[in-house]
Amino acid sequence: MAGFKSPDFNERAAAARAAKQAAVEQLRNRPAPDPAIIAERKAAQAAREERRAARKAEAAAARLAKAEAAKAQAAEEAEALQRSEAEQKAARDARYAARKARKK
């Protein structure tokens, strides 16, 4: 029984050329794509892009609304803090006036 004979370079190169030629022939023999299918795929892609753009716009609007709400809340809190400080000052002034009135 004969042992395994490894292929030499020329045999490997010929096998690679044959495989490449077979792949090229297979691509050449493939039927051309149907224009209706191509148009359908392009329409589906355009619809996906529209939906994606709509989602992005919706998300941007939501972020903007959230930022506006946060800004309004911060302004309200600042106003409440100012009112609180004004109330504290008024209470302090009232205590001071009462203390002065007791001394007289």
Side-chain angles (χ1 to χ4, degrees):
M1 180 168 162
F4 176 74
K5 180 183 171 212
S6 63
D8 64 353
F9 175 77
N10 290 330
E11 291 174 355
R12 291 193 312 270
R17 275 193 305 273
K20 186 184 274 189
Q21 188 64 30
V24 168
E25 287 300 319
Q26 187 177 18
L27 284 175
R28 283 187 187 148
N29 293 335
R30 195 172 73 184
D34 186 16
I37 292 175
I38 291 174
E40 182 180 325
R41 287 180 185 171
K42 284 184 180 181
Q45 178 64 25
R48 279 194 300 272
E49 288 175 1
E50 276 185 34
R51 287 192 303 268
R52 185 176 298 128
R55 280 195 309 268
K56 281 186 177 183
E58 189 175 301
R63 280 194 305 271
L64 182 61
K66 188 175 181 181
E68 290 294 324
K71 188 187 290 185
Q73 184 179 3
E76 186 177 305
E77 288 174 358
E79 185 179 322
L81 182 62
Q82 279 184 334
R83 264 186 301 189
S84 174
E85 289 174 357
E87 290 169 359
Q88 288 174 351
K89 185 176 184 303
R92 186 180 65 230
D93 291 346
R95 287 192 307 270
Y96 179 75
R99 193 169 52 242
K100 287 293 188 180
R102 280 193 305 258
K103 288 185 180 181
K104 286 187 181 181

